[in-house]
Amino acid sequence: MDDQTIIGLFWQRSEQAIAAADQKYGNLCRKICMNLLRNAEDAQECVNDTWHSLWEQIPPQRPDPLAAYIARIARNLAMKRISYHNAAKRSAVIVSYEELSDCIPSGQDPASRMEAADLRRLINDFLDTLNPVNRNLFLRRYWFFDSIEQIAAGFGMTRGSVKTRLFRIRQDLKDYLAKEADIYVG
């Protein structure tokens, strides 16, 4: 079933909408939530909450692309659950954010230097400068929070190669932010 048909079902308030969304995007949501939460029960709850949230948001929203919209909802719900359950624990999310701390100012809220939307725009612009493989490596690690091992297996690379490329991408991001937004991280 295509995305517009699924959105149409939500607009009609048809219960089939959730089943269709789950059939098409359920595996994506479960993967995102499992990568973040590492707990099947919590992940499934977040997926269920994703469908509930989608039901509440459509209408009035008509998201395009639907996959990105659903993935963002699932990711945000999983991040909230992490904050709730693991506030003091070191999780994969914290490790991934620590890796990016060399690029984005630490000890300062980036919003204090610029609006969060501007930072998001700059990072999106930076991602547009990357070749497709490096862009996907960055997204797999820092958006989907895949482990180094998962990325290496998925791209047919060694762990060392993945780590090296991610390090270089972070350095490039740091340089890009310094040039484009006058953000310097020591």
Side-chain angles (χ1 to χ4, degrees):
M1 187 174 299
D2 71 11
D3 289 354
Q4 294 309 315
T5 304
I6 294 171
I7 291 169
L9 290 171
F10 277 103
W11 273 79
Q12 296 168 10
R13 306 314 277 165
S14 170
E15 292 179 15
Q16 289 179 311
I18 292 173
D22 185 52
Q23 182 178 3
K24 188 165 183 180
Y25 296 112
N27 288 337
L28 172 67
C29 289
R30 280 182 276 285
K31 180 173 178 24
I32 291 168
C33 293
M34 276 300 294
N35 281 349
L36 290 166
L37 298 168
R38 310 270 188 228
N39 177 297
E41 187 176 301
D42 283 345
Q44 188 57 50
E45 275 189 50
C46 282
V47 171
N48 292 341
D49 290 346
T50 298
W51 306 139
H52 175 76
S53 185
L54 203 59
W55 184 265
E56 295 292 318
Q57 293 177 29
I58 303 175
Q61 298 291 324
R62 283 198 177 272
D64 185 32
L66 183 60
Y69 191 79
I70 290 172
R72 182 178 54 87
I73 291 171
R75 182 180 185 275
N76 290 343
L77 289 168
M79 297 286 286
K80 285 179 185 176
R81 184 158 304 235
I82 287 170
S83 295
Y84 178 75
H85 284 298
N86 301 322
K89 295 181 183 175
R90 184 174 166 89
S91 67
V93 175
I94 293 169
V95 171
S96 293
Y97 279 141
E98 285 175 354
E99 289 175 6
L100 283 177
S101 69
D102 288 338
C103 307
I104 297 172
S106 61
Q108 295 179 345
D109 180 0
S112 68
R113 298 281 303 236
M114 70 174 65
E115 294 296 321
D118 289 338
L119 182 58
R120 185 172 38 252
R121 180 189 52 79
L122 284 169
I123 291 173
N124 283 333
D125 290 348
F126 168 73
L127 290 174
D128 287 341
T129 70
L130 298 177
N131 68 48
V133 172
N134 285 348
R135 183 181 316 117
N136 285 324
L137 285 171
F138 185 92
L139 291 173
R140 296 305 323 170
R141 181 68 176 153
Y142 303 113
W143 176 259
F144 294 103
F145 298 105
D146 284 352
S147 69
I148 299 296
E149 292 78 14
Q150 288 172 315
I151 295 169
F155 284 83
M157 301 168 72
T158 65
R159 289 184 68 234
S161 178
V162 170
K163 289 171 121 181
T164 299
R165 285 180 87 155
L166 288 171
F167 174 79
R168 289 180 181 153
I169 294 167
R170 289 192 310 271
Q171 287 301 114
D172 290 345
L173 174 60
K174 181 178 175 180
D175 295 343
Y176 185 86
L177 291 175
K179 178 182 170 205
E180 296 296 321
D182 196 30
I183 295 175
Y184 176 74
V185 181

